[in-house]
Amino acid sequence: MRYRNLRFDIWLCLAIGALLSFLPVKIAKQILPKAYETYEEAHRVADGEIGGAAGESVYRAKSVKDLLSHDTFTVVSPGIEYRNRGGGYYGSYFMHALTLPSGELVAACINMDSVQSTGGDLYSGDSILPVGRIVYEDLTENETFLSQMEYKEKLSRTDFYVDMLGEGGRLSEEDYTELPITLIQIGTVVICFPLLHMLGSKLGLFPAFFVRKKKKASKWE
């Protein structure tokens, strides 16, 4: 296998571009936390709404029959059992294989911010899941998703999923800021690299990438 090293002028321009990205990244880190506050507020779900915390008045469903017979409901799950059966992405939603008290297994997207624990921590007592509703959809159309959901056990129903997310499911501040900061870093390097190399070429420090060919002299000249 043949290895090729980058030319000195190329990696030098890349390194300078990376250094220059520190300034826009620093500015972005001052702006993004405020933007995250707005984002967080927009994705906060009120108690009692779909994806919000379930109060005492919300019906506690124990079986698929209960889910289908109520417009809204919640499920009480022991500890963190509600996320111990794995899951998978269905479109842009991550769904868990949720075990109902009856033992039946259904797909559910859950707003983790609205899960309430009756014990001292997540591993003791029961977890009261957010307010949910049934969304009818043929899950078998996404074979990849279904294979992820059923790698341990078959779902009891594949003609619907439980929406316990609503307008919730916000990203963490770290995840929210990670992508724009990465794009700023890459964008700064992409913009600065050709400018730096062009400047270095004009000053005679670097060889030019593109050398203009001289026209052949005409025999009549």
Side-chain angles (χ1 to χ4, degrees):
M1 185 180 294
R2 181 178 296 176
Y3 294 93
R4 293 185 178 180
N5 295 323
L6 284 176
R7 279 174 15 194
F8 170 79
D9 54 314
I10 294 177
W11 70 254
L12 179 60
C13 290
L14 289 173
I16 295 174
L19 289 173
L20 292 174
S21 71
F22 287 167
L23 179 59
V25 166
K26 184 177 180 180
I27 295 173
K29 286 183 177 179
Q30 294 175 343
I31 297 173
L32 286 172
K34 294 181 180 179
Y36 181 74
E37 290 178 7
T38 304
Y39 164 82
E40 186 181 33
E41 182 65 30
H43 287 75
R44 188 173 294 144
V45 185
D47 295 352
E49 294 184 0
I50 302 300
E56 293 296 330
S57 62
V58 179
Y59 181 76
R60 269 59 173 163
K62 296 182 179 180
S63 64
V64 168
K65 182 179 178 181
D66 290 343
L67 300 181
L68 298 176
S69 60
H70 291 78
D71 293 332
T72 60
F73 48 80
T74 185
V75 174
V76 179
S77 178
I80 59 169
E81 205 282 335
Y82 62 94
R83 58 184 185 186
N84 279 347
R85 294 294 186 95
Y89 278 96
Y90 188 79
S92 59
Y93 298 117
F94 184 83
M95 294 195 191
H96 291 272
L98 171 63
T99 304
L100 301 174
S102 63
E104 295 167 297
L105 201 66
V106 295
C109 49
I110 303 170
N111 181 10
M112 297 301 174
D113 293 332
S114 298
V115 176
Q116 304 169 82
S117 178
T118 61
D121 54 48
L122 292 173
Y123 302 96
S124 62
D126 293 327
S127 293
I128 304 173
L129 301 187
V131 179
R133 66 187 177 100
I134 290 293
V135 176
Y136 287 98
E137 199 146 339
D138 185 3
L139 304 182
T140 61
E141 291 183 354
N142 190 326
E143 294 181 3
T144 301
F145 164 74
L146 201 61
S147 65
Q148 291 172 335
M149 294 293 289
E150 297 185 334
Y151 81 100
K152 280 187 177 180
E153 187 178 344
K154 293 283 186 182
L155 293 175
S156 300
R157 294 284 291 266
T158 57
D159 58 333
F160 70 81
Y161 68 86
V162 178
D163 177 15
M164 291 182 169
L165 185 65
E167 297 299 321
R170 64 179 185 264
L171 298 171
S172 67
E173 185 171 356
E174 182 180 356
D175 290 338
Y176 180 83
T177 58
E178 183 179 11
L179 179 59
I181 286 176
T182 300
L183 292 176
I184 288 170
Q185 290 173 324
I186 295 173
T188 303
V189 173
V190 169
I191 292 171
C192 289
F193 175 79
L195 297 176
L196 290 169
H197 200 278
M198 186 183 302
L199 178 61
S201 297
K202 287 187 177 296
L203 295 175
L205 301 175
F206 307 142
F209 276 132
F210 304 103
V211 180
R212 187 175 297 177
K213 294 183 178 180
K214 294 182 179 179
K215 292 182 178 180
K216 292 183 179 181
S218 172
K219 66 178 181 179
W220 303 109
E221 292 181 356

